[in-house]
Amino acid sequence: MPHRVPTRLLRSTLSAVLIALACLLTPCGALAAWATYGLFDTGRYADAMAPLAADPAVREVVADTVRDGVLDRIAASDLTASDLAASATSASDPKSVRQFVHDAAESFTRTAAFRAGWDAANRTVHGAVLRALREERGAGRAVTVDLAPVTARVKHQLARDHVPFAHRIPVTHTAVTVLRAPEADRLRRGYRALDVAAFWLPLTAVVCAAAGIAVAACRRRAVTAAGLGTALGGALLGLTVVIGRRLTLAELPGTAHGPAAAAVYDALTETLRTAAWLLLGLGLTTALASWLTGRRTRTRTRARRTPQPDERPGSRTPL
């Protein structure tokens, strides 16, 4: 009997530590798994980015970028702004070269060719970055991508849409640097750490939760605590997504591209937000079910222990 209390206290303490560790590792494991199996998967990444081709904010940013690029090429070439304006505008509807190029680019973003190029560009860039991260001997080298497949897909779509002179668009192999060598090396180290954490963190969380419930002196309370801790972890994960969104948008140099950046962030973190809600719902459901089961059990126990009127001491059955 003297050893009963210390043993019970030891089991309760060990159970609390294991369950707390499991609840702490759960959101971390979900974050690592999302990064590894969501961001670092080309198919899932492209599927998440595909709807953004129809987002007005994203199309506006693309149109602005194309406009600036075309104007830079005009400034560096022999073609003057007046020549381009004369060939591209009519007397009844005069426009500046800047507005004309922007309108043309914005009109292109509404076509099927743009959607095809958007998907091809995302897949090409993401695939190149992923191959560089997984390459064992890629240290010290920048990540480059060849835009020829993107140009070829856009050219094919324009030709299918019977756009004049689409077949004359040149498909040249142009290497564009996506990540410089120092940035690629840092991202490579982070990718390897996430690759390991995405497997071991969720597994460790499950093992700790199961062990904490198994060694608990009162397993029903341990299940309730694990459920509440899981719900708290889901809430913290959702709060992390919200804070990360605000910090990401706050780091932008200007407010012009804010809506487009918000749309990209929301598209990439949609799965993470869903995981946060699932953890919250699963944890609360588990805790509520455990509490209701315990309450029903306690009610039945009190009912059994309460003597009936004819069973009380001194009561006699009348003859």
Side-chain angles (χ1 to χ4, degrees), residues 20-54:
L21 183 60
C23 296
L24 179 63
L25 293 178
T26 297
C28 298
L31 186 62
W34 162 77
T36 301
Y37 304 115
L39 289 184
F40 293 125
D41 183 274
T42 301
R44 293 190 180 97
Y45 176 83
D47 292 340
M49 295 292 288
L52 295 179

Side-chain angles (χ1 to χ4, degrees), residues 288-300:
L288 181 61
S290 178
W291 180 77
L292 291 176
T293 303
R295 184 179 181 183
R296 186 176 181 182
T297 303
R298 288 191 297 271
T299 302
R300 288 181 178 179

